[in-house]
Amino acid sequence: MRTPDISRQVVGSSLVKSSSQVDVLADFLQVSRQKLKLTVLFSSVVSGWSPAEFHASCDQKGATITLIRCGRLCFGGYASVSWSSRGLGSSQCWLEDPRAFLFRFKYDSHQKTVTEIQRFDRNGAGGELYSRADYGPTFGYKHDLFTFGQVSPGQNQTVLSDVRGNGTPSFSTPSLLYDASSRDACHPTLEVLQVGTAKAADGLEELEQPWLSGFPWAQEDAKKVQDKVFQYDPKQAGLSVPIINILLCGGVGAGKSSIVSTIDSICQSRISRRAPHGQGTGSLTRMLRKYTFFQPETKKPVKWQMWDSMGWGVDDYKRGELGFILDGNLLNMCDLAGSISTRTEGFKVQPSLQDRVHCMVLVVPCNAASDEAYMARLHEMRQFARDREVPTLVFLSKIDTYDPDVIGNDLAKTYHSSRLLHLVEELEESAGVGGRKDILPVKSLSNEMGPTTELSALMCKALEQALYAAEDYVTEYGDRIACNITSELSDSM
């Protein structure tokens, strides 16, 4: 009988060698074995028991399986969110992961057949992952699975010890997964494997049907959406403002300024370098800057404008600056790197509805969606908008580099990407917006010589939804003012 070839599904592993192992892991993950792809990111054989090497290889890599083998025993854990290098304070290191679990199985005496298969799910206590800079992958409040790390300052690395925390176990394990006393005798080996979906290049296919149907990929349909966006008129929509204000907000390097330049490129049918953008250690945008655009054919100014804000870092936007931006207190070219107050030059004490932000767009690069620190800041930013009832959308950027095998090869396959779908589903829970309809994939110009039909379709469809959200806000805001005036008149009679 021919042994199944797993070389396309398992890359670089010295632990996962048989189809029976792949079957077990696929069952644990509740996916089809044929669609599972595992790629080794870290190996104790290659890199030793080094937390620094682990984090350098595994941070921000998405879902992973940690697999340890001691003799005939294999055990480990699954993390659906990315590992990251957190500080040494324990409160900063816990990550919640509703999809995490631990597992254990054994080999028979011939080292081929898998037996005694067990999966241990989370029990709802939280703290499923412990992502500390000087620890390897560790699971659970009570260190239900401790792999390796520097438990005490100045000590050597501890490997597979019975280190236990003081908290409640996060998983339904009846006891320790392993016997630390037999550690040295069994010569343990550990691997961290990235969990992915096998693509067509691996002899398997991406989603046959798009997870969002009816998208205007055809040139004629894309042109209709483009005309609708750039010819949009608030007055024709019955609004009381002449111009719609859309604010771009995101972390350093999120791609906000690239989005501005891409929109301008669509308007001009050529590459535009209007907004400064690129790689760096800090935000290239230091000022609140207003961008106006012109219709591609008539060259008339469009009746909405984009405001680009400074990318948030660790210490930015801590003094309520975003509230001033949303309320319309600040003028174009206001320096956001300095201190903002009512004494700031040009500060509008009583801004009108026309001055306010009508829709806030949070720009989230795909590789940051599983970054807990990034998402925590995003929630802080979103709360400013929520307090003011300003609608918030997510523009999901850098989709082509997130899934180069599907989207990178054909942008029109964006909604065929199972990897992107999984990310959107995670963001539905973590971003706190109004569901999948408010998470909009976009791509900025990068390796193109000009805007393509597919690129324009994605960007313009996202802008269309931002305009609709702004329209609803302006209408609702006007209704509230009208109700307040009516109430005040009634009280005065």
Side-chain angles (χ1 to χ4, degrees):
M1 187 176 195
R2 183 182 176 184
T3 302
D5 180 14
I6 63 168
S7 60
R8 290 182 174 180
Q9 290 179 263
V10 183
V11 180
S13 177
S14 64
L15 297 183
V16 183
K17 295 183 176 181
S18 69
S19 60
S20 61
Q21 289 174 283
V22 176
D23 287 339
V24 169
L25 296 176
D27 286 343
F28 282 151
L29 295 169
Q30 299 177 345
V31 299
S32 167
R33 174 199 160 187
Q34 286 74 24
K35 293 186 177 181
L36 177 63
K37 183 170 183 177
L38 301 171
T39 304
V40 172
L41 300 175
F42 173 86
S43 168
S44 64
V45 173
V46 176
S47 303
W49 301 93
S50 167
E53 291 289 341
F54 159 70
H55 285 289
S57 301
C58 302
D59 282 3
Q60 311 308 329
K61 294 296 177 64
T64 54
I65 285 179
T66 297
L67 182 64
I68 304 116
R69 181 165 179 175
C70 280
R72 291 170 53 191
L73 175 66
C74 279
F75 57 95
Y78 169 73
S80 72
V81 301
S82 292
W83 296 101
S84 58
S85 300
R86 317 295 277 174
L88 301 185
S90 60
S91 63
Q92 303 175 26
C93 302
W94 301 111
L95 302 178
E96 291 196 7
D97 184 355
R99 296 187 177 91
F101 60 85
L102 302 180
F103 59 88
R104 179 171 60 192
F105 56 88
K106 287 185 177 181
Y107 289 101
D108 65 3
S109 58
H110 299 291
Q111 304 284 312
K112 293 183 178 180
T113 304
V114 177
T115 64
E116 299 182 28
I117 301 168
Q118 295 174 288
R119 167 175 161 156
F120 307 101
D121 290 314
R122 60 193 290 270
N123 58 21
E128 287 81 14
L129 308 181
Y130 190 59
S131 193
R132 183 166 146 169
D134 58 350
Y135 273 46
T138 300
F139 296 75
Y141 266 140
K142 205 173 178 64
H143 289 1
D144 307 46
L145 172 55
F146 173 88
T147 55
F148 61 93
Q150 192 171 22
V151 178
S152 299
Q155 289 187 355
N156 295 328
Q157 298 293 342
T158 301
V159 178
L160 294 179
S161 80
D162 290 339
V163 173
R164 302 290 274 178
N166 297 320
T168 302
S170 301
F171 298 91
S172 57
T173 49
S175 61
L176 288 174
L177 286 174
Y178 55 92
D179 179 9
S181 63
S182 63
R183 175 193 61 212
D184 297 331
C186 72
H187 303 293
T189 301
L190 178 146
E191 288 181 352
V192 179
L193 303 102
Q194 185 177 42
V195 178
T197 302
K199 305 294 192 299
D202 302 311
L204 303 166
E205 298 180 354
E206 69 269 7
L207 296 175
E208 293 184 5
Q209 297 298 322
W211 44 272
L212 179 71
S213 60
F215 197 85
W217 293 117
Q219 186 172 5
E220 181 179 348
D221 295 332
K223 182 64 165 58
K224 289 179 181 178
V225 176
Q226 178 177 307
D227 290 344
K228 188 176 183 179
V229 165
F230 290 111
Q231 294 172 17
Y232 179 84
D233 188 344
K235 294 295 184 182
Q236 291 183 1
L239 304 184
S240 58
V241 297
I243 301 288
I244 291 294
N245 294 318
I246 301 171
L247 173 68
L248 291 177
C249 190
V252 174
K256 298 180 285 78
S257 298
S258 295
I259 288 174
V260 170
S261 290
T262 297
I263 294 171
D264 198 49
S265 298
I266 295 171
C267 291
Q268 300 193 54
S269 300
R270 65 168 177 81
I271 293 178
S272 168
R273 300 170 179 83
R274 190 172 171 195
H277 58 274
Q279 301 297 320
T281 57
S283 177
L284 294 178
T285 304
R286 308 302 294 176
M287 296 183 177
L288 177 65
R289 184 165 179 182
K290 176 179 69 177
Y291 288 94
T292 56
F293 305 96
F294 297 87
Q295 296 180 22
E297 295 170 358
T298 66
K299 304 305 177 184
K300 294 179 180 180
V302 301
K303 296 186 178 181
W304 50 269
Q305 52 200 15
M306 193 78 73
W307 293 79
D308 191 10
S309 61
M310 181 174 68
W312 69 63
V314 175
D315 299 318
D316 298 316
Y317 294 105
K318 291 292 189 180
R319 299 179 298 274
E321 299 95 327
L322 185 59
F324 291 139
I325 297 173
L326 292 169
D327 291 339
N329 299 116
L330 305 183
L331 296 178
N332 181 34
M333 303 304 291
C334 177
D335 185 3
L336 297 177
S339 178
I340 305 294
S341 70
T342 55
R343 297 180 180 179
T344 299
E345 183 179 357
F347 189 94
K348 293 185 179 181
V349 179
Q350 293 184 318
S352 66
L353 176 59
Q354 180 177 330
D355 300 316
R356 299 177 69 89
V357 168
H358 307 131
C359 177
M360 181 169 77
V361 170
L362 293 167
V363 181
V364 180
C366 288
N367 61 1
S370 57
D371 184 334
E372 185 182 352
Y374 191 98
M375 297 305 294
R377 290 308 310 274
L378 180 144
H379 280 278
E380 293 176 12
M381 302 299 106
R382 182 178 55 80
Q383 191 59 47
F384 281 97
R386 175 174 287 181
D387 291 343
R388 293 158 174 79
E389 299 184 15
V390 175
T392 304
L393 304 181
V394 169
F395 279 15
L396 194 57
S397 64
K398 305 183 181 180
I399 57 174
D400 55 322
T401 56
Y402 183 71
D403 192 349
D405 292 331
V406 177
I407 302 173
N409 289 329
D410 185 356
L411 199 57
K413 291 292 185 70
T414 294
Y415 291 102
H416 289 262
S417 169
S418 58
R419 190 177 187 203
L420 188 65
L421 172 60
H422 179 68
L423 184 65
V424 169
E425 289 173 340
E426 288 185 354
L427 278 172
E428 283 187 85
E429 300 178 9
S430 63
V433 293
R436 191 180 302 180
K437 69 182 187 305
D438 291 340
I439 303 171
L440 305 160
V442 296
K443 183 189 181 304
S444 298
L445 282 168
S446 55
N447 55 352
E448 300 88 355
M449 290 305 297
T452 64
T453 297
E454 295 80 10
L455 183 146
S456 177
L458 278 173
M459 189 65 73
C460 289
K461 197 63 179 177
L463 289 170
E464 178 190 53
Q465 297 307 307
L467 290 171
Y468 286 158
E471 189 175 299
D472 292 340
Y473 168 76
V474 172
T475 300
E476 179 65 22
Y477 191 93
D479 290 344
R480 289 203 306 270
I481 292 177
C483 289
N484 291 337
I485 293 175
T486 301
S487 177
E488 291 175 1
L489 289 174
S490 299
D491 293 341
S492 64
M493 292 179 65

